[in-house]
Amino acid sequence: MDEKLEQMKQTYMDIPIPAELDFIVNQAINQHRKKPRSNLKWLSVAVAAAAIVFVAGLNTSPAFAGSLADMPVVGKLIKVLTFREYQYDDGANKAKVEVPIITNLDNKVLEESLNSKYLEESKKLYTDFMLDIEKMKASGLEGHLGVDSGYIVKTDNDQIFAVGRYVVNTAASSSTTFQYDTIDKQNQLLITLPSLFKDEGYIQVISDYIKAQMIQRMKDDPAKVYWVEGVPNEVKFYFKSIKKDQSFYINKDGKLVIVFQKYEVSPGYMGVPEFIIPSNLLVDQLSTHAYLLPE
């Protein structure tokens, strides 16, 4: 039984990341419901394997079972929890990489796509960390490397579930990245930034607003620094525009939040900058009014 369990667990661990994760929000919800069952047969196997691994984790790991008490709940059914955790500590170098898993989505294609992505990202992060340690030791260098990765639920209401995955890398200095996935819980779709808008006009509208906010924040607080045009800086880099697929999430108030990575638009001590975009600024750009609430 233990051998079979391990085989099923490995089957799940080896699921490749699907190439296409861009579930457009305006895709008709009944489209994926009409797909032939045969196309989703392989998914049922993966789901079954994941379920058995989950039960085994509850029975064999008190820490794993105890973590369920603090597990965020999406609506009444969907849950996000730590599927597994990679750890390393040799006294000088430390790693802690949590792998999130989303369960009980009706849209199993979306569920498996997200979970495969999370698992592969985490495995690569830990593998790259261990390779860096080997290279450092092989060259005779001494240092302190660290990586800390986990997740946080930013929004969980009747319409929206937004989960952020963070990575903090530590060497001579530290860097932090945040990536978000925002899910329409009612229609079981992954919301992308482009899918919120009719065309790419949103890029300029949002970018202009953020530039004005950067300047205003610096006026209000001299300790804040953003690399924006019109303000001299040592790096000679100026924020010009958000990316088409800029990191974002929709907060509990139904507002679009644009997220920048550490060092992307400001010095490291500014952390991971966020800008809440007023919904009334985006009314003419929206392809749907289902998510962003009016002022």
Side-chain angles (χ1 to χ4, degrees), residues 226-238:
Y226 295 98
W227 299 325
V228 59
E229 192 172 4
V231 180
N233 67 72
E234 296 180 358
V235 298
K236 306 300 180 184
F237 163 81
Y238 298 107

Side-chain angles (χ1 to χ4, degrees), residues 196-202 205 278-289 292:
L196 290 173
F197 303 100
K198 295 182 293 187
D199 52 43
E200 293 186 5
Y202 72 92
V205 173
S279 297
N280 60 1
L281 199 68
L282 305 172
V283 171
D284 295 336
Q285 304 290 329
L286 295 175
S287 62
T288 175
H289 296 274
L292 303 184

Side-chain angles (χ1 to χ4, degrees), residues 5 9 13 31-32 56 87 110 125-126 167 182 269 292:
L5 177 61
K9 179 177 179 180
M13 297 279 283
Q31 183 177 347
H32 69 78
Q87 289 194 26
L110 174 58
L125 183 65
Y126 185 76
V167 177
T182 301
Y269 74 86
L292 303 184

Side-chain angles (χ1 to χ4, degrees), residues 128-140:
D128 288 348
F129 172 79
M130 297 304 296
L131 287 174
D132 287 341
I133 292 178
E134 289 181 11
K135 291 177 182 178
M136 183 178 66
K137 292 181 177 179
S139 63

